[in-house]
Amino acid sequence: VQLQASGGGLVQAGDSLRLSCAASGRTFSGYVMGWFRQAPGKEREFVAGIKWSGGYTYYADSVKGRFTISRDNAKNTVYLQMNSLKPEDTAVYYCATKRAIATYYPRLMKEYDYWGQGTLVTVSS
């Protein structure tokens, strides 16, 4: 499994940005894709997750209502649309995936098996 994250950049507070995570190496039916982020000096934290099958989504409270995770099954790509960005959203963003049963919504780093490289998002005030 390979994950390739992209789309990071420097934006101003209030702007929007869309991250992409291209997945390859297998079919992902039955898998969950997650986005995490790690700010300088802080631990990596869960941001959002989506089930490849069914498209069910879940979010961290800190981004709920501002970020939207979605997927394009034909392209094997997951997106993270980030609106109303704040300086505290500044971090390296990572995508990750693991096989997950329908009722399992993983939020911890250790629960994920495969990781992409990060993409840096910087939000200036």
Side-chain angles (χ1 to χ4, degrees):
V1 173
Q2 292 187 331
L3 303 175
Q4 181 74 35
S6 62
L10 172 63
V11 297
Q12 293 186 331
D15 285 350
S16 298
L17 202 60
R18 190 178 79 160
L19 305 183
S20 300
C21 180
S24 61
R26 64 159 299 120
T27 56
F28 290 92
S29 175
Y31 275 63
V32 61
M33 179 70 75
W35 281 101
F36 286 75
R37 66 186 181 185
Q38 187 165 16
K42 296 188 177 181
E43 293 186 353
R44 196 171 299 186
E45 63 176 2
F46 171 79
V47 174
I50 187 168
K51 296 296 185 74
W52 281 102
S53 303
Y56 299 104
T57 60
Y58 56 111
Y59 298 91
D61 289 342
S62 59
V63 306
K64 201 173 294 183
R66 298 189 299 124
F67 291 11
T68 302
I69 188 171
S70 62
R71 89 252 190 262
D72 184 330
N73 284 350
K75 296 182 178 179
N76 262 11
T77 299
V78 171
Y79 304 99
L80 185 68
Q81 177 66 43
M82 305 184 295
N83 298 331
S84 303
L85 283 162
K86 305 175 182 179
E88 51 263 44
D89 294 318
T90 294
V92 177
Y93 284 72
Y94 300 87
C95 54
T97 192
K98 75 168 278 88
R99 187 170 182 82
I101 62 175
T103 56
Y104 181 44
Y105 295 85
R107 293 174 177 262
L108 302 178
M109 275 185 60
K110 63 182 181 181
E111 296 178 288
Y112 284 79
D113 299 317
Y114 304 99
W115 290 83
Q117 92 295 353
T119 185
L120 176 63
V121 173
T122 304
V123 184
S124 63
S125 57

